[in-house]
Amino acid sequence: MMQSRPFNLRRVIIWIGRLVLGGIFIYAGFSKLLLPNTHLWPMFVLRFSLSMNLSSFAQQVESYKMISPEASQVVAHTLPFVEIVLGFLLLIGWRLRIWSSAITVIMVGFLAAVTRAYLLHMDINCGCFGTPEKLTGMTVVRDGVFTALALLMTIFAFIEARKPHPWSAPEKA
């Protein structure tokens, strides 16, 4: 009988990373689209509230003063949808190395932007989850933890991809 250990520390961290980061990315994307202006629900949510939420998110992106106002509009109108798609792809686990690498790059960018704004003492809203949330040291710590989890998940996904799965490995005599 084959001795196998389908769950080791690397696989557990990959699963935790997929569930946590995938869920957070899906929640962040949907919250940027739907949460800030829920007082219009359900009458005008798709026609007016969605465009108002994206324009208020564009103002939050612009408040970081890292990109032009036109680029802020592009980021605000694409980022929520990218977050939702990447979150679902991470949860599914298909082509994990590609999507975990993309999530890691995005998380490093988020961490750099939030850290820069915090160190420059900018009094702005984070914009992380759509609702107004002041940028604090805990925001930087939270993004740092999520970035570390994304980096670990990506590294372990590449390591695990080189090894055969224990259930599919040939039996040793």
Side-chain angles (χ1 to χ4, degrees):
M1 186 155 148
M2 187 173 97
Q3 299 292 324
S4 67
R5 286 187 28 200
F7 291 109
N8 57 24
L9 182 62
R10 285 189 301 264
R11 287 194 185 106
V12 168
I13 290 177
I14 290 171
W15 270 97
I16 290 171
R18 283 177 55 196
L19 294 175
V20 169
L21 292 173
I24 286 172
F25 265 64
I26 291 169
Y27 174 73
F30 275 118
S31 67
K32 287 171 187 154
L33 293 175
L34 300 175
L35 281 187
N37 294 314
T38 55
H39 64 280
L40 296 174
W41 183 264
M43 193 174 359
F44 298 113
V45 70
L46 291 180
R47 184 163 183 194
F48 298 109
S49 184
L50 192 63
S51 62
M52 286 172 41
N53 291 344
L54 289 175
S55 64
S56 68
F57 179 56
Q59 290 173 350
Q60 289 175 345
V61 171
E62 193 174 337
S63 69
Y64 280 90
K65 299 187 184 339
M66 294 179 71
I67 55 179
S68 69
E70 294 81 19
S72 297
Q73 289 291 327
V74 172
V75 168
H77 284 80
T78 57
L79 184 63
F81 300 105
V82 169
E83 286 178 336
I84 292 167
V85 169
L86 282 176
F88 276 123
L89 288 170
L90 202 60
L91 285 177
I92 292 170
W94 179 69
R95 304 279 190 200
L96 184 61
R97 290 177 289 171
I98 296 170
W99 308 126
S100 64
S101 298
I103 294 254
T104 302
V105 168
I106 290 173
M107 285 304 304
V108 167
F110 288 165
L111 179 63
V114 168
T115 303
R116 176 188 172 274
Y118 181 72
L119 292 176
L120 292 176
H121 304 288
M122 293 178 153
D123 187 28
I124 60 175
N125 289 328
C126 171
C128 302
F129 296 107
T131 56
E133 173 189 352
K134 287 292 181 191
L135 184 66
T136 63
M138 284 307 296
T139 309
V140 176
V141 170
R142 179 187 67 204
D143 277 4
V145 168
F146 290 154
T147 303
L149 179 61
L151 186 62
L152 271 175
M153 178 184 63
T154 302
I155 291 169
F156 290 163
F158 275 92
I159 291 172
E160 286 294 317
R162 293 182 183 175
K163 299 178 178 182
H165 194 276
W167 292 342
S168 63
E171 286 192 38
K172 297 177 183 173

